[in-house]
């Protein structure tokens, strides 16, 4: 199957650019506010071990499959499926990814906007001498406002669009190459601050001490769901990015490197957060309250806390930005290639329409709090539909496509760069994409829809 490649198609220019962009997509808010907490709560080192197994056994093979589809297809997520399977409805999987990207960006950009507000709050000393109750009240009154959160969200969307509009090499690659090293530096500074506080050990033991009695079937599904979201799998982000990879890129190695980077950053986020939380005797929490209430409470008690607070929120904003650009690119590539729009028009159309939906997501914490669909506010509905339904379903069809539809020979050709690389892992990989991954993903899917709590 030879596919014509448009001569004007943009591409990544370097190996480091590819890793920075793909790891930038994977490392996001999920690593910082979700992973550390669920690890601590679910058996520490024991959970970590299970999470690692999920990443290695399922995450990496799914990522390799997305890479193979994108690089072979040479199009956006929808177009790649259509190119590889012209007469079958597999393109629906790509379309679902585009819809998921739309939904994810609408709610994710709201939270990303909050990080900008909190950068400003830390540098203007707004956490000083505030009780936890006050911090909670001011967070709640901020997010339920009509204008401030929406304005920050629009600023964040504009930043995302400004990078994406510049193209793959001159926009996405250029900025992720700059931002990812900054992210690593900031997280290391904060880890160092945290582990040198008195009483830091208790936090490290909350995070790492293995407690195998906490491991149940449910924990395993939890680990798999988190691995999936954290690695940005299932919605075509990595299909889209891989369509810009060079023909000599080693897809399996890249998948391993990106997954490793994502996991290391998630663990470092725990090392940054829990020693500080325990040193100040605070109950660990997760999600928005950990990041926007508990941590500001800690920063104000810490010497140099305003600076560390500002560093922390810049870190969050950077982590979010490198993820939002990857999500926007899914929609932009789709609009540009399928509607035949210029990148500029496609970016404007995608970001403006996502921003409109995003405003509804943001307002669901305030003026639209009583507007519910299926019993959920707009933000929660978008989050649930994308994270708990579309991502696992997308992931499932991606492995089924590679495992059962796309022939073994073509898959081998793609993973070995047309026999230039040795692919000794190939039989194990095929076994996983045919049997292990579909069963495991079906299990997460059923669990997350009927029992809830993932994503
Ligand atoms: N992986 C990101 C995180 O952990 O926050 C979230 C995400 C980004 C999910 C991109 C899906 C995606 F396509």
């Amino acid at each position: 199957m030879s596919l014509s490649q448009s001569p004007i198609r943009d591409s990544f220019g370097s190996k480091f650019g590819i890793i920075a962009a793909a790891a930038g997509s994977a490392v996001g808010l999920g690593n910082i506010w979700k992973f550390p907490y669920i690890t601590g709560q679910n058996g520490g080192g024991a959970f970590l071990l299970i999470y690692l197994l999920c990443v290695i056994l399922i995450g990496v093979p799914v990522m390799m499959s997305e890479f193979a589809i994108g690089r072979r297809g040479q199009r956006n997520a929808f177009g790649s499926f259509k190119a590889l399977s012209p007469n079958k409805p597999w393109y629906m999987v790509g379309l679902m990814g585009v819809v998921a990207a739309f939904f994810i960006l609408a709610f994710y950009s709201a939270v990303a906007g909050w990080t900008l507000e909190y950068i400003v709050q830390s540098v203007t000393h707004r956490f000083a001498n505030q009780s936890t109750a006050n911090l909670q009240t001011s967070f709640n009154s901020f997010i339920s406002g009509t204008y401030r959160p929406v304005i920050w969200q629009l600023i964040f969307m504009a930043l995302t669009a400004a990078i994406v509009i510049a193209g793959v090499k001159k926009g996405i690659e250029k900025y992720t190459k700059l931002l990812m090293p900054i992210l690593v530096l900031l997280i290391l500074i904060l880890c160092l601050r945290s582990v040198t506080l008195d009483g830091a050990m208790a936090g490290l033991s909350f995070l790492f001490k293995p407690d195998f009695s906490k491991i149940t079937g449910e924990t395993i599904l939890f680990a798999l769901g988190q691995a999936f979201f954290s690695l940005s799998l299932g919605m075509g982000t990595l299909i889209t990015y891989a369509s810009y990879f060079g023909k000599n890129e080693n897809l399996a190695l890249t998948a391993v490197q990106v997954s490793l980077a994502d996991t290391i950053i998630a663990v470092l986020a725990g090392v940054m957060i829990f020693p500080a939380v325990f040193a100040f005797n605070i109950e660990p929490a997760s999600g928005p309250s950990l990041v926007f209430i508990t941590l500001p409470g800690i920063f104000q008690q810490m010497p140099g806390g305003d600076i560390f607070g500002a560093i922390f929120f810049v870190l969050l904003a950077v982590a979010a930005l490198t993820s939002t650009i990857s999500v926007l690119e899914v929609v932009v590539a789709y609009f540009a290639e399928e509607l035949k729009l210029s990148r500029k028009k496609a970016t404007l159309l995608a970001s403006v329409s996502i921003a409109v939906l995003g405003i509804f997501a943001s307002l669901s914490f305030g003026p639209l709090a009583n507007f519910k669909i299926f019993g959920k506010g707009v933000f929660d509905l978008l989050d649930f539909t994308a994270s708990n339904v579309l991502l696992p379903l997308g992931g499932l069809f991606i492995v089924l496509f590679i495992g059962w539809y796309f022939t073994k020979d073509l898959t081998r050709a793609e993973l070995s760069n047309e026999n230039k690389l040795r692919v000794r892992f190939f039989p194990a990989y095929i076994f996983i994409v045919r049997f292990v991954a579909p069963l495991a993903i079906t299990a997460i899917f059923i669990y997350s829809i009927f029992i809830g709590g993932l994503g």
Side-chain angles (χ1 to χ4, degrees), residues 334-356:
Y334 171 74
F335 282 172
E337 291 168 358
E338 304 306 322
L339 305 182
K340 310 265 182 285
L341 298 177
S342 65
R343 173 167 276 270
K344 195 168 156 200
K345 285 207 181 100
T347 310
L348 289 176
L349 180 65
S351 32
V352 169
S353 47
I354 291 169
V356 170

Side-chain angles (χ1 to χ4, degrees), residues 425-448:
F425 56 80
F426 194 70
Y429 166 79
I430 285 291
F431 180 73
I432 289 174
V433 292
R434 285 200 161 170
F435 303 104
V436 182
L439 286 174
I441 298 168
T442 306
I444 321 181
F445 185 54
I446 292 174
Y447 173 80
S448 72

Side-chain angles (χ1 to χ4, degrees), residues 25-31 104 108 229-233 235 237 262 323 326-327 391:
S25 172
V27 174
L29 298 170
N31 298 55
I104 289 194
Y108 205 87
F229 183 80
S230 188
L231 296 172
S232 301
L233 300 175
M235 56 165 272
T237 308
D262 185 63
S323 296
S326 74
V327 186
L391 294 194

